[in-house]
Amino acid sequence: QVQLVESGGGLVQAGGSLRLSCAASGRAFGSYGIGWFRQAPGKEREFVAAISWSGGNTYYADSMKGRFTISGDNAKNTVYLQMNTLKPEDTAVYYCAAGSSIVSVRLNPMYWGQGTQVTVSS
């Protein structure tokens, strides 16, 4: 079993930056795909980005390209989401998830963190 804990959320002004962290425990990431999702009030959960731990491949939702960057640190068993040029519409709870592959985590993630709140003021 994998446990995921997000951190790094907070309040930031439009145009600012935040870096979110997803720390895993219980098992190493191994061949898992790790993904970031977000859910704004009244909206469906949407995919943000994913990374393949073994190969380092990444995949982004089209709307996130250029502003968000996903990366990992094997020694710390942690995945990061660097968010730049934040906009008020980025306000949401951001969740970390794990699946069997970079594809599977997007469609059928097996593990979820509790989420971290990101609020972007205008």
Side-chain angles (χ1 to χ4, degrees), residues 25-45:
S25 62
R27 291 185 180 182
F29 283 102
S31 61
Y32 275 34
I34 308 297
W36 286 97
F37 297 77
R38 69 184 187 184
Q39 187 167 22
K43 296 183 178 180
E44 297 291 330
R45 183 174 296 170

Side-chain angles (χ1 to χ4, degrees), residues 58-122:
T58 59
Y59 187 85
Y60 297 88
D62 287 342
S63 61
M64 313 300 171
K65 293 179 180 177
R67 294 195 301 126
F68 292 5
T69 303
I70 190 169
S71 62
D73 185 332
N74 287 344
K76 297 182 178 180
N77 222 28
T78 300
V79 170
Y80 304 97
L81 183 69
Q82 178 68 45
M83 305 186 296
N84 298 324
T85 319
L86 284 163
K87 305 174 182 179
E89 53 263 42
D90 294 319
T91 295
V93 177
Y94 284 71
Y95 297 92
C96 179
S100 59
S101 71
I102 192 171
V103 174
S104 180
V105 71
R106 296 180 59 200
L107 303 177
N108 188 32
M110 298 180 65
Y111 305 98
W112 290 93
Q114 292 297 115
T116 185
Q117 177 71 49
V118 172
T119 303
V120 184
S121 62
S122 60

Side-chain angles (χ1 to χ4, degrees), residues 5-23:
V5 179
E6 303 95 335
S7 63
L11 176 64
V12 64
Q13 293 186 358
S17 299
L18 284 173
R19 189 180 72 163
L20 307 183
S21 299
C22 174

